[in-house]
Each structure stands twice: as structure tokens, then as C-alpha cells.
Amino acid sequence: MSDLLAPGPTRVVGVLNVTPDSFSDGGRHTGDPVARGVALRAAGADLVDVGGESTRPGATRVDPAEELRRVLPVVEGLVAAGVPVSVDTMRAATARAAVAAGAVVVNDVSGGLADEDMAATVAGLDCVYVLSHWRGASDVMGSLAVYGHVVDEVRAELTARLHAVTSAGVARERVVLDPGLGFAKTAEHDWALLAGLDDLAGLGLPLLVGASRKRFLGALLAVDGEVPPPSGRDAATAAVSALAAARGVWGVRVHDVPSSVAAVKVATAWAAARGGVPA
């Protein structure tokens, strides 16, 4: 686990949805998700993030037992294949089972707010904890996208959640922060948060950026009102990956791994040529 947070190039976290209703792939990888995860690793993913519950806008919660049924065999299969695994869950029970099966990261998009047992559970696990900014569930988050100054407020709310989870026993040095792009955010908010990554980095913890295929990129690429499908946003995602890597973020969470692996390599080489100075 310690190697995950050691200094080094920006990590590429490959997304593996084992849901029938993902916004990005519509359940395309539910047939043989272990093979898909192995392929993501072979393509250069440093971690494969396995999720069994869609968090797309408007989604409702899946039954806890169903989430575990979807996730656990995939985590076990990937670990057996030597793939470093992250589990994308808002439930303490799923996190506990996945880490017991070999997952090394718990990626909680709710920052511990969706399950009051999450912080105490993670405190007792040997894993990295990704704590995201979140204001409410997917079916109501659109109404919560109201900010006076989004960077300041997200930073303050992340600080409050960080205090809550460390007070519950989670070691600060095991925490990665995620600004939660698209979660109770408009496109304008997402761009402001990307522009404000240096301010968020001022909290002194690694950052994970999850921009991949999200609506704000679709809106940016729209032509005559025609928004490209999620898979048509991978080039824009890779551009964000390069820019985020140039700012020194710990990781980028993406669906198309090869393009972001290349983007991170470019940003890393560019920074090295500048003497390690961020662009």
C-alpha cells in the first residue's frame, strides 16, 4: 500500500463498471469483467477501480447485497491475476469485504457521508481511502449544485470531511482527496475546480481527478447542439489527464486507459525537461 502513495508520476486508475446502467458503457463489461480488468492493467493502468453501483446523475441506490454480488467475485479474480484493485463503493460492508479479498484502495465518492460506518471501518483496514466531495445522492445532487465560490466551498467541505474521518481513526497519510467533478457540480463548477487544483493541493494531500467522459466534456465538444456520446469524449479526457498530471496530481480516473497513459507520459517528460517545475 505504501508504494501507492510514494512520489512518482501521476497514476492512471482504470474504471471497471460492473453495473448494467453505467452512463459511460451501459454495462458493456459485465460479461467478463475480470478479463476487462486484466486488459486495463496490461494497457498501463496502475489500479483498476471496480464499481457495482452506478453514480450517474439520476441513479437510485442498488441493493447492498446486489452490489456485493457484482463486485466481490471481480475483486477476487483480479487480485488472483495480480492486478492492483480499488473498490468504488459508498458502503462500509462492501469496502470491508473487498479489502479482505485483496483490494488496496477504497474509493468512496460520498466521502463517508452515505454510510456512517465507513470512516470507522476504513480506520481498521489496511488500505488507501479516496475521500470525495459529495453533497447528496445521484437522484438529488443536481439541486445541490449551488455555490458562491466553488473552489473555496469544496475545499472547506473536504476539510470538514477529512477532519471527520481522521477523528474516526483513519490515518491522514492514507487519504487521497477527490474534488468530485460532476457530483453536485455544473460544467462551470467543474472547470473552476480543475483551474483551482493548486488551491486544493494546498490541503497537503494527494489528489485524484475523475473527469473521464463526464457531461462537462460532452457539453464542451457539442457541435450544433449535438453532444458526443461518452466514448466520444476520450480525447478530451486525455487532455485533462495531461493538464492534471502537469499540476502534479496523484491520479486520474479514466475509462480509456491507453490515451491517458500517453497523456501522463507527455506531461511527465515535459516537466522533466523543465527541471521538474510544474507547467
Side-chain angles (χ1 to χ4, degrees):
M1 184 189 72
S2 59
D3 290 346
L4 279 175
L5 298 181
T10 295
R11 276 71 168 177
V12 175
V13 180
V15 177
L16 180 56
N17 293 315
V18 285
T19 61
D21 55 348
S22 165
F23 88 95
S24 63
D25 54 33
R28 197 154 49 97
H29 304 301
T30 55
D32 192 354
V34 173
R36 171 62 179 169
V38 170
L40 290 174
R41 175 64 168 169
D46 297 286
L47 278 168
V48 173
D49 192 39
V50 180
E53 179 175 29
S54 176
T55 53
R56 78 189 192 286
T60 54
R61 300 298 307 273
V62 70
D63 180 79
E66 174 62 16
E67 182 191 24
L68 198 57
R69 185 196 67 77
R70 294 172 180 177
V71 165
L72 196 55
V74 180
V75 172
E76 292 171 340
L78 290 175
V79 170
V83 177
V85 175
S86 166
V87 61
D88 177 4
T89 184
M90 296 184 282
R91 290 192 172 96
T94 303
R96 185 185 304 109
V99 172
V104 292
V105 175
V106 172
N107 178 19
D108 177 7
V109 300
S110 80
L113 288 169
D115 186 338
E116 62 182 11
D117 294 329
M118 180 64 89
T121 296
V122 171
L125 300 175
D126 184 22
C127 66
V128 170
Y129 181 54
V130 179
L131 185 160
S132 296
H133 178 266
W134 191 80
R135 284 185 164 181
S138 296
D139 56 347
V140 299
M141 66 182 179
S143 65
L144 303 174
V146 180
Y147 302 87
H149 190 291
V150 66
V151 176
D152 288 350
E153 291 177 49
V154 166
R155 176 174 170 144
E157 290 168 31
L158 281 173
T159 300
R161 292 309 306 154
L162 179 61
H163 176 73
V165 301
T166 54
S167 295
V170 179
R172 180 183 172 92
E173 59 268 22
R174 291 200 283 126
V175 177
V176 172
L177 299 178
D178 182 336
L181 300 179
F183 290 89
K185 318 283 191 311
T186 65
E188 182 181 4
H189 297 144
D190 290 333
W191 288 117
L193 286 165
L194 287 172
L197 285 175
D198 288 349
D199 287 336
L200 298 177
L203 292 173
L205 290 175
L207 297 178
L208 176 67
V209 170
S212 187
R213 297 182 175 179
K214 289 191 173 176
R215 289 182 301 169
F216 77 105
L217 295 179
L220 176 73
L221 299 175
V223 177
D224 296 329
E226 190 74 20
V227 177
S231 61
R233 307 169 197 174
D234 287 335
T237 298
V240 173
S241 293
L243 292 168
R247 303 316 309 166
V249 304
W250 171 80
V252 290
R253 182 181 181 274
V254 300
H255 298 84
D256 184 66
V257 166
S259 60
S260 281
V261 167
V264 168
K265 286 182 177 180
V266 168
T268 302
W270 195 315
R274 289 170 51 90
V277 179

